Amino acid sequence: MPKPVQKEEIVSLLEEIGTLMRLAGENDFRAIAFDRAARTIESLDDDINKYIDDHTLTDLKGIGKSIANDVYEYAETGSVPVLEKLRDQVPDALIAWLGISGMGPKKIYKIHKALDITELSELKEKCRDGSVASLAGMGEKTAEKILKSIAWMEEFSARCHIDEATAVAELFLEKMKNADGVKEISVAGSLRRALETIGDIDLLIAADGKDAASLMERFTGLDGVMEVLGQGETKSSVRTDEGRQVDLRIVSPAHYPAALMYFTGSKEHNVAMRSLARGKNMQLNEYGLFHQTDDKKADFDRPLPTQSENYIYRHLGLGFIPPELREDYGEFDLAADGKVPELVELSDMRGILHVHSTWSDGKKSIREMAEACIERGYEYLGLTDHSQSAAYAGGLSIERVKQQWEEIDALNREYADKGIDFTIIKGIESDILADGRLDYPDDLLAEFDLVIGSVHSGLDHPPEKMLNRLMEAAAHPQVHVVGHPTGRLLLRRDGNKADLNRLIEHASKHKTAIEINANPRRLDLDWRYGRKARECGLMSAVCPDAHDIKGLDHMRYGIGIARKSGFTAGHILNAKTLADLKKWLGK
DNA sequence: GCCGTTTTCGGCCCGACTGTTTTCAGTCG
Ligand SMILES: Nc1nc2c(ncn2[C@H]2C[C@H](O)[C@@H](COP(=O)(O)OP(=O)(O)OP(=O)(O)O)O2)c(=O)[nH]1
Ligand SMILES: [Mg+2]
Ligand SMILES: [Mg+2]
Ligand SMILES: [Zn+2]
């Protein structure tokens, strides 16, 4: 029996093979096969070791005999011959060079071979001293561009949080939308899909051909544009002062729907759509959906009607797929059967859960937070300050809890007297202690109307132990919601590696919800667990985890993740009316 | 390397921009 492996190990193993293959100049389709296999393993929601023990990996899509045997071999021996051979051929250090924009596998391998260098520092040196420019197919500009790209890479991170990207996008939208000739304008790319982190910001404009050039000029000349990375007739890219890349694509109004679909992606969704089209003797690109010519190219003289994205899905026998679902992560199965869920919307939300006040580490009083909720049209606020062990965050002693309840009671009476239809719910975000117990005696916990159990300490516990803590909390009769289950901080700190598929099964069984923490630094539970969660009938809650008033406006990002998860309003606790929520909490 | 109610071999998404080239490869979206 081979020793158990972690899913993540296999994923990075396959990714490394694929990447090194490309660098080694292998057939790209072979490399793509390894990438695809990695994606399949990554999306597995049961134990990979079962497939390894039973030798059934080839049941999975994109995994054939060859890759399956590589994985079995790895599980047995800890190494794979094909990878060892590739490592001999291509130094691992070259993988870092792929982060330099404008540098792909061909250039990297060529420079590495011709100049016998592998380190980034050496590459910089050889760009400066003219060695790179003297290579065939390269020149002065090549070397300059490499140096510039390395500088960008070292100064700015490749991806950013979604709130930062949203702010950049809104600024550019504002500055472009009233320009002469703009007929339509939209955010596209990962931001439109509400991905948890954003690489660059993609904008699409519909305009007549005569206006395109002046719009491009306007875009590349905007305040805050530090550098123009490229400028053509239909698309341009710039870098902002903050180091974010913004791409603009301009198409004529007739092409706008197809272009919006293309530019929204994801790449994997696009590839799947285009393959589907070919399978039906049609060709899909950013200009539309077309019948085929005899040599299976797009016949631009024979377009199908595409007045909206929806038309394109229809022609391909699919229901409309909302942008958030376009990740090639199961949406085609849903859309083919007409089973795309009616996704939850921000306007479905009736109340706010998981908010901190000055009683613990929040910046605003209960009254201030409550009034901000009222202004935003919410019916209730589930106040959840930190519990007593969270000394670092001003966690509440039992005595303070009781004092807080008095303040809440007084505020609720005041709202009732004034005829304001708003209720503050007595809640707590209780630490899940190292042994899985909660942070107050059960009889006190029972007096709260809302208990969120979250891990804030012992973050380095091994996966199995962490899972046990989370499962124990989920099974605790007084716990309603498990908070930010992995504890990840996007772009900063990986979350714990507990098997969340098992937590989801367990929580569903005990009728405990798992939150989607809407803070753009967390967005945890991750949307990739949505399918599993829906299968298990898990409830969730979209929680701002707000420590100040601005934090309440993070709800939109949490809703994005809830939609990516495939959740309807029926899956979300705080889409319930207060009466229904109370019924659920009191179960 | 993977896959198949049009196939077990021959496809695998498709177009824009750049730089170095003299007709296109490489990279990116
Ligand atoms: N058909 C096709 N479309 C692509 C390809 N690469 C990118 N696109 C489309 C889909 C992408 O969502 C869109 C924008 O590209 P980006 O590189 O900005 O990717 P995206 O925004 O999805 O992710 P990001 O957060 O920017 O890394 O362009 C491709 O290889 N083929
Ligand atoms: Mg993008
Ligand atoms: Mg882009
Ligand atoms: Zn917390």
Side-chain angles (χ1 to χ4, degrees):
Chain A
M1 201 84 149
K3 76 172 182 3
V5 297
Q6 290 273 340
K7 195 169 84 172
E8 292 77 16
E9 284 174 74
I10 305 299
V11 170
S12 56
L13 174 85
L14 297 174
E15 280 174 344
E16 188 181 350
I17 295 174
T19 304
L20 290 179
M21 272 184 170
R22 259 187 273 265
L23 287 169
E26 256 293 352
N27 179 331
D28 205 37
F29 294 115
R30 269 190 85 198
I32 288 171
F34 280 89
D35 288 345
R36 287 184 54 111
R39 295 287 76 75
T40 297
I41 303 266
E42 193 176 36
S43 69
L44 225 51
D45 51 24
D46 46 4
D47 188 359
I48 180 160
N49 290 290
K50 199 167 147 32
Y51 294 90
I52 294 174
D53 295 343
D54 303 349
H55 273 55
T56 49
L57 270 177
T58 50
D59 292 352
L60 302 172
K61 93 167 190 296
I63 299 185
K65 275 215 172 88
S66 174
I67 291 182
N69 282 329
D70 290 343
V71 175
Y72 300 145
E73 174 117 34
Y74 175 83
E76 286 284 350
T77 68
S79 81
V80 187
V82 63
L83 178 57
E84 298 310 322
K85 214 183 281 165
L86 281 165
R87 280 176 170 159
D88 287 343
Q89 254 180 294
V90 186
D92 259 338
L94 291 185
I95 294 176
W97 293 21
L98 283 166
I100 307 167
S101 81
M103 289 277 273
K106 296 289 192 301
K107 271 191 210 168
I108 291 173
Y109 193 70
K110 182 171 194 169
I111 293 174
H112 156 71
K113 268 293 171 202
L115 303 177
D116 190 31
I117 55 174
T118 56
E119 296 304 318
L120 219 53
S121 54
E122 297 172 306
L123 176 59
K124 283 197 263 192
E125 200 181 299
K126 296 295 178 189
C127 283
R128 290 204 194 92
D129 72 10
S131 312
V132 167
S134 69
L135 298 176
M138 306 199 189
E140 289 285 322
K141 290 193 172 176
T142 315
E144 251 172 61
K145 197 173 158 191
I146 293 173
L147 281 173
K148 209 171 245 174
S149 295
I150 293 176
W152 282 115
M153 181 173 77
E154 288 177 339
E155 184 168 3
F156 301 108
S157 65
R159 309 190 67 77
C160 70
H161 294 115
I162 194 169
D163 55 339
E164 184 188 340
T166 300
V168 174
E170 284 172 355
L171 207 73
F172 275 82
L173 279 177
E174 201 53 43
K175 289 178 179 171
M176 293 301 299
K177 73 176 187 207
N178 295 320
D180 287 343
V182 173
K183 300 232 161 106
E184 311 245 22
I185 183 164
S186 173
V187 167
S190 51
L191 192 51
R192 182 167 182 239
R193 300 197 312 278
L195 196 61
E196 67 275 15
T197 64
I198 306 297
D200 66 3
I201 290 113
D202 303 285
L203 300 178
L204 178 67
I205 284 179
D208 292 331
K210 64 175 171 51
D211 296 316
S214 67
L215 286 170
M216 280 302 179
E217 281 299 318
R218 182 189 175 100
F219 172 67
T220 54
L222 284 176
D223 280 353
V225 168
M226 162 158 283
E227 193 191 354
V228 179
L229 301 170
Q231 183 171 359
E233 287 180 8
T234 72
K235 85 188 217 203
S236 297
S237 294
V238 300
R239 182 87 63 178
T240 70
D241 293 338
E242 301 82 30
R244 302 318 320 162
Q245 183 177 325
V246 184
D247 292 345
L248 173 66
R249 184 89 196 236
I250 302 181
V251 297
S252 68
H255 299 148
Y256 186 76
L260 183 58
M261 167 172 287
Y262 149 72
F263 214 28
T264 297
S266 64
K267 176 189 171 189
E268 290 74 18
H269 181 86
N270 289 352
V271 169
M273 287 288 286
R274 289 169 184 209
S275 305
L276 253 175
R278 281 182 80 85
K280 296 182 184 297
N281 298 316
M282 294 181 261
Q283 290 291 120
L284 177 62
N285 56 41
E286 63 265 49
Y287 298 104
L289 182 63
F290 302 91
H291 291 290
Q292 286 182 329
T293 59
D294 293 337
D295 58 344
K296 305 236 168 229
K297 296 262 168 51
D299 186 344
F300 286 94
D301 295 328
R302 289 195 298 145
L304 288 100
T306 55
Q307 287 95 316
S308 67
E309 291 181 321
N310 200 10
Y311 271 76
I312 302 175
Y313 288 112
R314 285 287 169 76
H315 289 308
L316 298 180
L318 300 170
F320 179 74
I321 300 179
E324 292 90 343
L325 295 184
R326 300 180 193 170
E327 301 287 353
D328 194 17
Y329 212 82
E331 71 271 26
F332 289 103
D333 297 334
L334 294 173
D337 296 344
K339 293 204 172 111
V340 176
E342 184 145 328
L343 302 180
V344 61
E345 294 178 19
L346 190 55
S347 59
D348 293 324
M349 303 309 292
R350 313 294 283 265
I352 292 283
L353 304 176
H354 197 166
V355 162
H356 298 270
S357 73
T358 46
W359 282 79
S360 64
D361 61 348
K363 302 274 189 299
K364 297 286 172 183
S365 66
I366 302 177
R367 179 190 290 280
E368 287 170 307
M369 294 307 286
E371 283 171 4
C373 290
I374 294 169
E375 264 173 42
R376 286 163 178 71
Y378 293 107
E379 298 168 19
Y380 52 87
L381 161 63
L383 186 76
T384 56
D385 274 307
H386 285 287
S387 59
Q388 53 186 349
S389 288
Y392 56 91
L396 305 183
S397 65
I398 293 178
E399 197 188 340
R400 297 263 295 157
V401 165
K402 304 219 157 145
Q403 289 166 4
Q404 186 181 62
W405 288 348
E406 287 174 21
E407 180 171 332
I408 292 174
D409 285 334
L411 280 167
N412 279 336
R413 270 196 307 275
E414 179 182 327
Y415 296 140
D417 290 346
K418 287 184 181 161
I420 299 172
D421 184 17
F422 188 81
T423 303
I424 303 171
I425 298 170
K426 292 173 190 157
I428 193 77
E429 183 183 16
S430 168
D431 270 33
I432 299 172
L433 304 178
D435 57 4
R437 283 181 308 127
L438 293 169
D439 206 8
Y440 296 111
D442 284 356
D443 54 353
L444 183 74
L445 285 174
E447 288 187 64
F448 286 102
D449 295 317
L450 168 66
V451 177
I452 299 177
S454 304
V455 171
H456 293 117
S457 60
L459 300 177
D460 54 350
H461 284 176
E464 213 27 60
K465 176 154 191 214
M466 190 60 88
L467 178 63
N468 283 334
R469 292 168 72 189
L470 290 164
M471 297 222 297
E472 222 168 288
H476 192 293
Q478 313 305 341
V479 172
H480 303 103
V481 181
V482 173
H484 48 69
T486 76
R488 75 179 178 188
L489 292 177
L490 290 166
L491 307 175
R492 257 207 20 230
R493 173 180 91 194
D494 282 349
N496 69 60
K497 297 282 188 298
D499 184 347
L500 292 193
N501 289 307
R502 287 178 57 201
L503 177 65
I504 288 168
E505 289 169 7
H506 196 69
S508 312
K509 206 173 75 191
H510 289 277
K511 304 254 182 293
T512 300
I514 300 179
E515 87 170 350
I516 290 174
N517 190 295
N519 187 306
R521 270 136 205 82
R522 293 190 184 270
L523 300 175
D524 176 21
L525 186 68
D526 190 273
W527 58 268
R528 293 168 187 81
Y529 291 100
R531 181 175 23 125
K532 175 75 176 180
R534 282 179 283 131
E535 275 168 20
C536 292
L538 183 82
M539 285 297 288
S540 187
V542 177
C543 300
D545 194 358
H547 290 73
D548 54 25
I549 288 167
K550 223 182 87 215
L552 294 175
D553 296 322
H554 290 154
M555 283 295 287
R556 62 191 286 195
Y557 307 120
I559 292 294
I561 297 300
R563 290 171 61 82
K564 286 187 94 59
S565 308
F567 286 146
T568 63
H571 290 105
I572 307 298
L573 283 184
N574 47 331
K576 291 182 185 294
T577 61
L578 179 63
D580 286 347
L581 176 68
K582 278 186 164 164
K583 222 179 288 165
W584 191 90
L585 293 173
K587 74 186 182 294

